[in-house]
Amino acid sequence: MWKIKNNTNKQYLHKFETEIIIPIFGMIRDYVIEIESGKIELPLERVDLWKTTDIFLKLSDAQKNLLSYIMQKTVSGRKLQDLFYLVVVTFNSSYVEAIFRIYKEQNGKVFAGNYDIQPIQIDDYFKELFVTYFYNTFFADDYVWDILVGEGYNRKSFHKNFKIENKMVVCPYCDIEITIAGSNNNIEHFLPKSKYPLIAMNPLNLISSCYACNKADEGKGDRIPQFPIVSPYNEMIGESAQFDVDFLSKRIALRNKGNQAHHNYFKFLKLYSRYADPIVFRSVDHAAESLFETLSNYPSPTKESIDSYIQKRERMNNLSFALKSIISKYPQYKAYKST
């Protein structure tokens, strides 16, 4: 719902891309080409294959130490160097180049603000490389980030940077949940990493969201959205949301006043049903009554002062879009004058 940015985390993840992802891609490509050309003969030893590539030999000592550490990392009983071996003896250069092309195309679209990306079948070895190793393991590896940026960096760092940069403690997806508590924070992939592994480390596909938005039963889970779709990195989606209130049934209804991309977003996050929950009405109603009580202590409050009060609470208090939309339906509001 909220328009967001992620420039601070983008700097960290760009460093990861340039010094880890791209070199490993290049070493895989070079090794496969040398096997095809006959310069390297099969069978191969599994150990230290990458150390003979031109890319590795041209690196600084610190970068060599980092890649050596990464290649020796064991996840679920398999070292990354073993996965490297499996990739170079399984695929030809055409397939490796195709994967690299898809990687650049998908990431390029996301950086350009285009999330209408159809999923492409990616071999399990490359999924393992990007999701199991790059995202699940190295994202939270202190040694990796110490070498890359000279300081620790992990998922908590991501959330902290995100909140500070956007000056918010509400979930940007839904505006329903508060995300102050660390247990209510997820690094959420807008386009799910299970279907789009090659953009698993793209900062503009990662959002610090509430727990509910990340769950399949309450939020988006790992479903693929219907296209066209709009992301919080594109615009203030909440401005395309209209909220109607029924005081008799004590329910709020979210209506789309935008286009198809906005409708698909609201549907993707299950916001139509989530806002219809009676608990949401009670929360907004309580916020409205508290607002009127607060303003009653001020001399000659106006409708403009109400709108200003709501605006000041935005991003630090939940349900601001709904409150701003339905506040004018309250008799107390109608009693106030405009300046």
Side-chain angles (χ1 to χ4, degrees), residues 1 172-173 229-230 232 237 261-269:
M1 301 275 277
Y173 269 147
I229 190 75
V230 62
I237 301 172
H262 300 101
H263 167 72
N264 289 340
Y265 174 87
F266 297 140
K267 185 178 178 181
F268 188 41
L269 273 295

Side-chain angles (χ1 to χ4, degrees), residues 19-68:
E19 297 199 22
I20 295 178
I21 296 177
I22 299 300
I24 288 178
F25 247 130
M27 289 189 294
I28 290 172
R29 180 196 59 222
D30 290 355
Y31 219 94
V32 170
I33 290 174
E34 291 199 348
I35 291 174
E36 289 179 344
S37 67
K39 292 182 179 180
I40 295 177
E41 295 183 359
L42 299 177
L44 300 172
E45 293 290 335
R46 288 175 177 255
V47 179
D48 296 349
L49 295 181
W50 74 94
K51 289 186 177 180
T52 63
T53 62
D54 288 341
I55 290 175
F56 181 85
L57 294 172
K58 292 177 181 178
L59 296 176
S60 67
D61 289 343
Q63 290 173 311
K64 288 178 180 177
N65 290 336
L66 175 59
L67 282 176
S68 295

Side-chain angles (χ1 to χ4, degrees), residues 16 20 65 73 86 105 138 159 163 201 219-220 227 236 273 291 312 329:
F16 189 97
I20 295 178
N65 290 336
K73 193 73 173 182
L86 292 171
E105 288 175 352
F138 298 133
H159 293 305
K163 290 175 183 177
M201 293 290 283
K220 56 181 288 298
F227 302 119
M236 190 81 78
S273 58
L291 169 57
K312 288 179 181 178
K329 308 296 193 301

